[in-house]
Amino acid sequence: MTTLVVTCEHLAALTLVSVSGEVDVTNSDQLRSAVEEGRRPGMPLVFDLSAMTFLDSTGLSVLLDTHTAAQREGGALLLADVQPMPWRILQITDVLSRLQIYPTLEHALNAAINGEQTA
C-alpha cells in the first residue's frame, strides 16, 4: 500500500486538492478531513487525481459527499486526470454521470475559473 498524501491550496477562484497514493478504508478519513478543512463555501473544488493510484468504496464515499456538500453550498467539485484504476471504480459504480471529470488539471482549472462547471 502506498502512503496517502493530500494537499489543499487556496487559489483566488477555487481550492485545489491534490491527492497522491491509494485511498482506502485505512486512510479515507484523512482525505475527508483535508477536504473539510480546505473547502470554502461557494467556491469550486478541483481535485488533481493524477497521482491517485487506487480508490475503494470509502474513498468514493468521500468524493460523493464532497460533491453533495459543494452543490449544497453553491460550489462544485471537479475531478482532473483520473487514473485507470480509480476510473474503473467510478465506472462500475455508475457515478461517472454525477461527477464532473476533466481529462487534465488544466481543463478542470479553466472550467472552474471560467465558471463552466455546473453547480
Side-chain angles (χ1 to χ4, degrees):
M1 174 176 15
T2 60
T3 303
L4 177 65
V5 177
V6 182
T7 60
C8 291
E9 183 180 355
H10 294 291
L11 305 175
L14 58 94
T15 298
L16 175 61
V17 179
S18 299
V19 183
S20 177
E22 298 180 357
V23 180
D24 60 29
V25 69
T26 66
N27 58 22
S28 61
D29 284 341
Q30 178 185 344
L31 176 60
R32 185 178 304 277
S33 294
V35 170
E36 287 174 359
E37 289 175 18
R39 187 173 57 227
R40 295 181 291 173
M43 299 294 282
L45 284 161
V46 175
F47 276 41
D48 177 2
L49 302 181
S50 61
M52 185 176 75
T53 57
F54 181 79
L55 177 72
D56 76 356
S57 62
T58 60
L60 178 61
S61 178
V62 173
L63 293 181
L64 291 172
D65 291 347
T66 302
H67 168 73
T68 300
Q71 283 190 321
R72 183 178 54 243
E73 296 168 349
L77 171 64
L78 298 82
L79 306 180
D81 201 1
V82 180
Q83 297 303 295
M85 183 67 73
W87 180 271
R88 181 74 178 128
I89 298 302
L90 298 174
Q91 183 180 41
I92 64 175
T93 56
D94 200 30
V95 299
L96 287 174
S97 64
R98 292 187 56 199
L99 301 173
Q100 296 178 63
I101 302 175
Y102 294 84
T104 67
L105 179 57
E106 181 180 357
H107 283 98
L109 292 172
N110 285 335
I113 291 168
N114 295 320
E116 296 170 4
Q117 78 281 350
T118 57

